[in-house]
Amino acid sequence: MLTIFLQAAAPQQSMTPTLVMIGLMVVGFYFLMIRPQMKKQKQEKNFQEALKPGAKVVTTSGMHGTIFSITEDGVILETLSGKLKFEKAAISKDFTAARFPETFGEVKKK
């Protein structure tokens, strides 16, 4: 019976191709998943830090409003229904330049 196990032993192969493949997968995950997410988070942080009163914005829930004031822990938006307080992270888009260029002194092109 021992002779059967000795005959069935697998030939010794190098682990180098397997390690190279795992390394390529890790690098691929970094460039396809981790790096774009970090870039997006950095853009969102810069956007939230650059918020100024008077900017017309949209929240993540779809609420449109104008920034009335900025506090340490949030943003007060002025909407048609009144003033509401939101977290800075809830502000998703800035519509001031895109939809209201006259705010920046630009002339609308027709």
Side-chain angles (χ1 to χ4, degrees):
M1 187 140 135
L2 183 61
T3 57
I4 295 173
F5 288 121
L6 291 175
Q7 289 175 355
Q12 295 292 328
Q13 293 183 352
S14 175
M15 290 291 291
T16 305
T18 305
L19 293 176
V20 169
M21 185 61 78
I22 291 172
L24 288 173
M25 288 175 59
V26 168
V27 169
F29 278 125
Y30 175 77
F31 281 108
L32 293 175
M33 298 176 77
I34 298 170
R35 188 168 179 241
Q37 182 65 27
M38 288 172 38
K39 187 176 179 180
K40 183 179 177 182
Q41 286 176 346
K42 186 177 179 181
Q43 286 175 343
E44 287 179 7
K45 182 180 177 189
N46 290 338
F47 168 71
Q48 290 169 0
E49 289 176 356
L51 291 174
K52 295 180 182 176
K56 295 178 184 349
V57 294
V58 177
T59 64
T60 54
S61 61
M63 176 92 47
H64 290 249
T66 304
I67 297 178
F68 181 73
S69 67
I70 299 174
T71 61
E72 290 179 12
D73 58 344
V75 174
I76 297 176
L77 288 183
E78 186 173 12
T79 63
L80 293 176
S81 62
K83 295 177 184 168
L84 303 170
K85 186 174 182 178
F86 286 94
E87 295 290 325
K88 283 185 178 181
I91 307 297
S92 67
K93 295 180 186 175
D94 182 11
F95 275 148
T96 306
R99 297 186 78 185
F100 306 101
E102 62 274 0
T103 307
F104 290 105
E106 298 174 5
V107 178
K108 278 189 176 179
K109 296 178 183 177
K110 295 181 181 181

